[in-house]
């Protein structure tokens, strides 16, 4: 039931109907909290619902709902010892929660805070995350750094994304947007930036 709500809300998220998706998530959380149990499966399911809530609330620009979902997800993540856990196609733990918090700071137009959150994560990525998730972390860090006019830092984060998840980084729209902006800001003399632009089809 939790996985179904997570996926249903994701459909609304993809359509940009954030308020409706958030309503689905919040109803599912209320129902789930009323069911008995206190095992790891329950933590993963409930935590994953809150992670989806973070995305929907931050894109809906609802600061209170975003903060509430972040707080509850982080509390649940503390109960996951070791790497993030995958159950029923839902991944939850401290690592994934940190990535969602980072993305939320960007969506809420807090690039300074996002860059601050990203710095330690890039130096020591959370264990157990797939390369694609670490790559997404680097892309979000690049977005935050670009927004704070840290062009060199944005390029460094993109290079890390291309290192850990090259195929994803080449086609990811957010990575391509950061590359496009760096490219137009007269960074063409930087060989590694040129190489990434060529791999993404932004330069010949």
């Amino acid at each position: 039931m939790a996985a179904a709500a997570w996926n249903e809300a994701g459909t609304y998220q993809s359509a940009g109907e954030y308020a409706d998706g958030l309503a689905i998530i919040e109803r599912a959380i209320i129902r789930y909290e009323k069911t008995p149990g206190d095992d790891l499966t329950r933590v993963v399911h409930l935590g994953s619902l809150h992670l989806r809530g973070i995305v929907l609330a931050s894109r809906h620009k609802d600061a209170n709902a975003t903060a509430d979902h972040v707080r509850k997800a982080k509390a649940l993540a503390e109960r996951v010892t070791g790497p993030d856990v995958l159950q029923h196609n839902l991944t939850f733990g401290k690592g994934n929660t940190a990535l969602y918090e980072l993305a939320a700071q960007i969506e809420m137009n807090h690039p300074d805070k996002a860059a601050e959150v990203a710095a330690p994560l890039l130096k020591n990525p959370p264990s157990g995350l797939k390369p694609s998730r670490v790559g997404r972390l680097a892309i979000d860090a690049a977005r935050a750094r670009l927004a704070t006019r840290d062009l060199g830092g944005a390029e460094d984060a993109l290079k890390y994304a291309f290192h850990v998840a090259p195929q994803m980084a080449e086609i990811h729209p957010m990575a391509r947007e950061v590359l496009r902006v760096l490219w137009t800001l007269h960074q063409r003399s930087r060989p590694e930036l040129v190489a990434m632009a060529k791999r993404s089809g932004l330069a010949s």
Side-chain angles (χ1 to χ4, degrees), residues 78-163:
E78 288 296 325
R79 298 170 60 185
V80 180
T81 58
D84 286 29
V85 177
L86 172 65
Q87 293 203 8
H88 302 118
N89 204 36
L90 301 175
T91 303
F92 184 72
K94 294 177 183 177
N96 223 20
T97 299
L99 267 61
Y100 275 74
E101 182 183 11
L102 166 61
Q105 293 294 343
I106 297 173
E107 295 293 345
M108 295 298 294
N109 297 317
H110 299 149
D112 290 335
K113 178 63 176 177
E116 179 183 330
V117 171
L121 297 175
L122 283 177
K123 289 182 179 178
N124 186 25
S127 62
L129 292 183
K130 295 180 179 180
S132 61
R133 297 299 295 146
V134 179
R136 178 56 192 270
L137 157 65
I139 291 169
D140 280 340
R143 294 171 63 202
R145 290 174 176 178
L146 180 63
T148 61
R149 308 300 292 180
D150 178 7
L151 303 186
E155 182 182 339
D156 287 342
L158 274 185
K159 285 190 288 189
Y160 188 57
F162 272 82
H163 172 70

Side-chain angles (χ1 to χ4, degrees), residues 29 37 45 47 61 66 68 77 89 115 117 123 142 152 194 203:
I29 289 172
H45 289 172
K61 309 305 179 186
T66 300
D68 186 57
N89 204 36
V117 171
K123 289 182 179 178
V194 172

Side-chain angles (χ1 to χ4, degrees), residues 38-57:
D38 193 36
D39 57 5
L40 182 60
T41 296
R42 179 183 174 86
V43 170
V44 171
H45 289 172
L46 191 55
S48 295
L49 290 173
H50 280 296
L51 293 187
R52 179 69 86 187
I54 291 172
V55 177
L56 290 160

